[in-house]
Amino acid sequence: MSERGFSAEELDTSRPHPARMYDYYLGGWDNYQVDREAAEQVIKIIPDARPSARANRAFLRRAVREVVRGGIRQIIDIGTGIPTSPNTHEVAREEAPDVRVAYVDNDPIVSVHAGAKLTNAGNAGFVLADVREPETILEHPVIRRLIDFDEPVALLLVAVLHFVTDAEDPAGIVATLGEALPDGSYLVLTHGTGDFHPHVEGDAADAYKNATASLTVRDFEGIMPFFDGFDLLDPGLVQAPLWRPDGAPPTVEELSRVAFYGGVGRKG
């Protein structure tokens, strides 16, 4: 049994998992040979997979700081992945020490790490659940303990919806989650795209075909509907490094290596 009560059979290391592949892109060590092999296959097709992952992570930090400065004191981070410091609660609490964070992921291995790296600081919890089941997430006891839906919430869907197929209705998932949020809440979202690397879109999806979740990259028009019901903050839905960069704007060369859109919307 694992330290969080999972049997060896539940901790599936026979197939690559997107969360562990992402950890590898970021230079982490919490991954397995099968994850590294799949990630290296992606990197061979898309050499920019690593800088894209790092740009996505940097966007998360900037967006979290922005919403907390805007008054948010509770966050739901769905698809959080393997903990990589600074984590969402660490970034948020640099701005406001009383921020509460509920982390959600569908990988039991992430859950094992969460106890040591995410939930030991207080006012944070972990939910083992899948974004494809939004009602389960909203009704989970950990969510109900940490999140007051009478007060504004920041919903983070960072690098997760491209693992939801069109048949699984990602727009409906976001709508269900968004309907539970009161006015003044925020949606923080990033999504992989082929708009900047169109020649490798099919090959990238193929590299994930044996993973626990397939890859569906979308273009600008395919991502914008996820913000229905939210007013986009300036500068809108843009290539991730262009969203309120710290310091100097990214160079053309830096942008050419990033395959993510990012945006933040405010409800009401």
Side-chain angles (χ1 to χ4, degrees):
M1 299 290 287
S2 77
E3 63 186 89
R4 289 182 67 85
F6 297 105
S7 67
E9 291 75 16
E10 290 177 283
L11 300 177
D12 183 7
T13 61
S14 65
R15 300 169 64 198
H17 190 284
R20 302 192 302 264
M21 291 171 68
Y22 186 67
D23 175 70
Y24 181 76
Y25 298 144
L26 291 173
W29 297 94
D30 295 318
N31 47 70
Y32 295 86
Q33 185 64 31
V34 66
D35 306 306
R36 294 189 284 273
E37 290 174 355
E40 283 294 339
Q41 182 182 351
V42 174
I43 291 169
K44 286 180 181 177
I45 299 166
I46 311 175
D48 297 335
R50 276 193 162 130
S52 288
R54 291 167 183 155
N56 179 72
R57 191 74 186 180
F59 167 90
L60 181 148
R61 294 194 293 268
R62 297 195 305 275
V64 167
R65 287 197 298 266
E66 190 69 29
V67 298
V68 173
R69 289 169 183 167
I72 289 295
R73 294 297 179 269
Q74 45 186 3
I75 298 172
I76 303 174
D77 183 353
I78 300 179
T80 184
I82 301 290
T84 302
S85 188
N87 296 294
T88 297
H89 71 277
E90 294 170 323
V91 175
R93 291 174 188 172
E94 289 177 357
E95 303 295 330
D98 59 338
V99 175
R100 304 185 304 279
V101 180
Y103 291 100
V104 182
D105 202 281
N106 69 349
D107 184 2
I109 292 176
V110 175
S111 180
V112 171
H113 288 285
K117 297 183 179 180
L118 297 180
T119 64
N120 61 346
N123 276 342
F126 181 85
V127 175
L128 183 64
D130 197 301
V131 69
R132 299 169 186 83
E133 300 176 352
E135 295 91 349
T136 299
I137 294 172
L138 293 170
E139 296 300 327
H140 195 280
V142 171
I143 298 291
R144 289 292 166 180
R145 173 174 60 85
L146 284 170
I147 305 299
D148 178 1
F149 286 98
D150 290 327
E151 298 293 333
V153 181
L155 171 65
L156 274 56
L157 293 171
V158 175
V160 64
L161 289 181
H162 48 239
F163 297 115
V164 178
T165 67
D166 291 338
E168 292 166 328
D169 189 17
I173 290 169
V174 179
T176 297
L177 294 167
E179 287 169 4
L181 307 180
D183 285 352
S185 295
Y186 291 86
L187 171 61
V188 176
L189 184 148
T190 66
H191 198 294
T193 184
D195 283 0
F196 313 109
H197 302 77
H199 59 290
V200 295
E201 181 173 328
D203 291 334
D206 188 61
Y208 277 86
K209 66 181 180 180
N210 294 321
T212 58
S214 60
L215 180 69
T216 304
V217 297
R218 296 181 172 93
D219 60 13
F220 182 89
E221 288 75 17
I223 299 169
M224 273 297 295
F226 299 145
F227 285 97
D228 287 353
F230 293 84
D231 296 322
L232 279 164
L233 275 59
D234 289 337
L237 180 65
V238 294
Q239 205 170 354
L242 292 173
W243 197 89
R244 304 192 179 187
D246 295 324
T251 66
V252 172
E253 181 180 358
E254 289 169 339
L255 288 174
S256 72
R257 306 197 69 189
V258 178
F260 275 94
Y261 279 114
V264 178
R266 186 177 188 275
K267 185 174 180 180

